[in-house]
Amino acid sequence: MPELPEVEALREFLDEHLVGREIARVVPVAVSVLKTYDPPPSALEGAAVTSVGRHGKFLDIGAGGVHLVTHLARAGWLRWKDELPAEPPRPGKGPLALRVALADGAGFDLTEAGTKKSLAVYVVRDPADVPGVARLGPDPLADGFGRDRFAELLRGERRQLKGALRDQSLIAGIGNAYSDEILHAARMSPFKPVAHLTDDEITALYEATRATLAEAVARTRGVAAGRLKAEKKSGLRVHGRAGEACPVCGDTIREVSFSDSSLQYCPTCQTGGKPLADRRLSRLLK
């Protein structure tokens, strides 16, 4: 799933390639992709793009007083083309979900792999009209997001760290991969209760969150849209690397699997050398 760093990289790419150019057509291809009907996608046609923003994991393209907001979900992606095919796209079983064509022949496709279709597109007058955007917590890389604000958000939390970091209404933009990376950098178990954090641990978690995300954004800056997925994977230290050696201590990276996802961690760095039990079979180590 694209998370804050990749969506920010896409935002920067589109800001460079879209702003000032006229939208000729917005063509929904997959039946499920469009989540709104007023204003219609045609409201964007004939207007020049004035802005490209990001709200957590949502991309926001503004043109003619209307916004095209998209969430790429787990398997979605944006594919830029300097020259789109001349023939209009046809609905079918392929990955194409929506096409945005510019007046000069360039544009991009939103695609989604797999059979579970969760990619969402909204055409709205205000991004806050998108329910997912309206519920977002603060952006962890915002200039005003300090350690005290972070501590305030965690106050009263009863969940474990992994779940809290992934909650978009608490902090926007962090998903499965970067929560693993943040917790590895902070040297904390993904299942440590938030309520048990000391002041020093809150500081360490805050610094790990900011540093991990900022480094990922810097690493993806200037990378072409088509190469961002590979760049993300190459920069991850523990997520998706079960069975490999931890780059910090050399211990074997372990995994805990769930019904629809998994997490990875280093026992030596994060859990005092103790492997975590499978959540589906026993209680988790704290």
Side-chain angles (χ1 to χ4, degrees), residues 14-90:
L14 292 178
D15 186 66
E16 178 182 349
H17 287 76
L18 278 184
V19 172
R21 300 169 81 170
E22 180 183 332
I23 295 176
R25 297 183 310 281
V26 179
V27 186
V29 179
V31 174
S32 62
V33 68
L34 195 61
K35 306 302 181 183
T36 55
Y37 62 90
D38 182 27
S42 59
L44 292 152
E45 297 175 358
V49 176
T50 54
S51 65
V52 181
R54 178 185 60 79
H55 314 282
K57 302 177 192 176
F58 290 83
L59 268 175
D60 171 9
I61 298 168
V66 179
H67 296 258
L68 186 151
V69 180
T70 183
H71 190 289
L72 296 171
R74 176 170 293 185
W77 198 243
L78 184 148
R79 302 181 186 280
W80 177 266
K81 297 183 179 181
D82 291 326
E83 186 174 349
L84 288 170
E87 66 277 6
R90 296 182 179 181

Side-chain angles (χ1 to χ4, degrees), residues 31 50 54 73 92 95 123 147-148 203 216 218 220 226 230 244 256 268 279 282:
V31 174
T50 54
R54 178 185 60 79
V123 180
R147 187 268 183 201
D148 290 345
T203 299
T220 57
E244 299 181 21
V256 176
T268 295
R279 185 181 188 122
S282 62

Side-chain angles (χ1 to χ4, degrees), residues 13-255:
F13 177 87
L14 292 178
D15 186 66
E16 178 182 349
H17 287 76
L18 278 184
V19 172
R21 300 169 81 170
E22 180 183 332
I23 295 176
R25 297 183 310 281
V26 179
V27 186
V29 179
V31 174
S32 62
V33 68
L34 195 61
K35 306 302 181 183
T36 55
Y37 62 90
D38 182 27
S42 59
L44 292 152
E45 297 175 358
V49 176
T50 54
S51 65
V52 181
R54 178 185 60 79
H55 314 282
K57 302 177 192 176
F58 290 83
L59 268 175
D60 171 9
I61 298 168
V66 179
H67 296 258
L68 186 151
V69 180
T70 183
H71 190 289
L72 296 171
R74 176 170 293 185
W77 198 243
L78 184 148
R79 302 181 186 280
W80 177 266
K81 297 183 179 181
D82 291 326
E83 186 174 349
L84 288 170
E87 66 277 6
R90 296 182 179 181
K93 296 183 179 180
L96 182 59
L98 180 136
R99 174 168 291 171
V100 174
L102 303 179
D104 58 13
F108 63 86
D109 289 339
L110 295 180
T111 63
E112 186 172 22
T115 57
K116 185 178 180 180
K117 302 300 182 183
S118 302
L119 188 150
V121 173
Y122 308 81
V123 180
V124 292
R125 295 180 178 87
D126 185 334
D129 293 337
V130 177
V133 173
R135 292 194 298 266
L136 288 175
D139 192 295
L141 291 185
D143 290 340
F145 188 76
R147 187 268 183 201
D148 290 345
R149 175 65 173 135
F150 182 71
E152 180 183 341
L153 292 172
L154 298 182
R155 189 175 297 119
E157 269 291 330
R158 297 181 179 275
R159 290 174 291 184
Q160 295 159 329
L161 284 174
K162 174 78 173 180
L165 287 175
R166 293 184 63 188
D167 182 352
Q168 300 304 294
S169 65
L170 187 72
I171 303 171
I174 302 170
N176 196 31
Y178 286 105
S179 57
D180 282 353
E181 296 298 298
I182 289 166
L183 291 167
H184 179 256
R187 303 181 71 86
M188 295 180 188
S189 167
F191 303 115
K192 183 179 181 70
V194 175
H196 292 181
L197 292 175
T198 66
D199 284 345
D200 286 346
E201 287 174 330
I202 290 174
T203 299
L205 185 61
Y206 167 75
E207 291 175 349
T209 299
R210 295 270 289 192
T212 298
L213 296 175
E215 289 167 7
V217 169
R219 193 170 57 247
T220 57
R221 183 161 287 132
V223 176
R227 292 171 42 222
L228 282 171
K229 285 186 178 181
E231 179 60 34
K232 174 182 180 177
K233 185 175 181 179
S234 70
L236 298 176
R237 293 177 295 182
V238 291
H239 184 79
R241 298 192 180 279
E244 299 181 21
C246 170
V248 174
C249 71
D251 194 2
T252 301
I253 296 169
R254 304 293 185 98
E255 177 175 277

